[in-house]
Amino acid sequence: MRQIGYVVRDIEAAMAQWASIGVGPWFYRKEATATEYRYYGKPSALPVLSFGFANSGDIQIELIAQLNDAPSLYLDTLRQHGEGAQHIAYWTMGHYDEYARTLLNKGYIEGHSGRMGANRGRYAYFMHPQLPCAMIEISESAGGKAELFEEIRAASVEWDGKNPIRRIGPPSAVSTES
């Protein structure tokens, strides 16, 4: 397990709250849209999302706020359970299809899946009907994702509380704010 993902309504307030207890710095993407997306196996409208990433030790905390009403497990979670932990994620460089097949063979269903850029790795969220609160994400760490996530982990190691939110955009577009 490499990540715990939380769905939130106000991502900036959530990042500030986590930073106040020492988790950070936050790498914040204000707006992102998948380039490929399926909801329960069918092509669907694309969710527009805000993401925040920070590490606590070797575990990455991901905050997700959806900015539109496209069908997604993020909105489903907010409607059914409110804000909070939504999934745990496993990262892989070369075993995405194998891990997805294993979950499907164990009775999990794919809730939504896609890709966040033409060269970025795939992702998919899986749920099991008998254990609906245990959502699992498989995330392929290709296309610079692994390097970004290592940068986020390294930044947390000796973070002094300064510059708690660092905006990220397209690759190589990092800025900081106090």
Side-chain angles (χ1 to χ4, degrees), residues 8-16 24-32 48-55 60-67 148-149 151-152 155 163-171 173-178:
V8 299
R9 290 185 175 89
D10 184 337
I11 196 165
E12 292 184 16
M15 287 186 294
W26 286 91
F27 288 72
Y28 174 39
R29 177 88 185 255
K30 189 168 186 168
E31 189 172 307
V48 178
L49 308 165
S50 288
F51 292 105
F53 301 100
N55 269 57
Q60 184 182 86
I61 306 297
E62 176 184 34
L63 301 176
I64 306 157
Q66 188 164 329
L67 306 175
L148 174 62
F149 286 175
E151 179 184 346
I152 292 166
N163 298 320
I165 299 172
R166 300 168 186 197
R167 289 186 185 268
I168 56 175
V174 176
S175 65
T176 60
E177 50 183 58
S178 320

Side-chain angles (χ1 to χ4, degrees), residues 4-177:
I4 303 170
Y6 292 80
V7 292
V8 299
R9 290 185 175 89
D10 184 337
I11 196 165
E12 292 184 16
M15 287 186 294
Q17 180 64 34
W18 281 95
S20 78
I21 60 170
V23 176
W26 286 91
F27 288 72
Y28 174 39
R29 177 88 185 255
K30 189 168 186 168
E31 189 172 307
T33 304
T35 54
E36 299 172 25
Y37 182 72
R38 289 175 307 285
Y39 180 71
Y40 288 100
K42 296 184 175 151
S44 179
L46 302 174
V48 178
L49 308 165
S50 288
F51 292 105
F53 301 100
N55 269 57
S56 180
D58 287 333
I59 298 294
Q60 184 182 86
I61 306 297
E62 176 184 34
L63 301 176
I64 306 157
Q66 188 164 329
L67 306 175
N68 68 356
D69 62 357
S72 74
L73 295 181
Y74 311 124
L75 289 184
D76 293 351
T77 298
L78 282 172
R79 288 179 189 126
Q80 294 170 10
H81 307 290
E83 295 180 281
Q86 186 223 23
H87 69 269
I88 59 171
Y90 295 87
W91 301 342
T92 181
M93 276 300 257
H95 301 283
Y96 179 91
D97 292 321
E98 174 188 339
Y99 294 163
R101 193 170 36 258
T102 296
L103 289 171
L104 292 170
N105 288 340
K106 293 186 177 291
Y108 284 77
I109 59 170
E110 182 182 291
H112 78 224
S113 61
R115 186 183 304 262
M116 293 303 291
N119 298 316
R120 295 274 183 186
R122 298 168 289 173
Y123 65 89
Y125 289 71
F126 297 89
M127 302 159 304
H128 196 285
Q130 295 175 337
L131 192 58
C133 65
M135 195 177 304
I136 296 172
E137 178 190 10
I138 304 297
S139 182
E140 193 172 41
S141 298
K145 192 187 302 184
E147 293 82 1
L148 174 62
F149 286 175
E150 176 52 28
E151 179 184 346
I152 292 166
R153 187 206 61 76
S156 74
V157 172
E158 294 185 32
W159 182 54
D160 61 4
K162 295 179 181 163
N163 298 320
I165 299 172
R166 300 168 186 197
R167 289 186 185 268
I168 56 175
S172 301
V174 176
S175 65
T176 60
E177 50 183 58

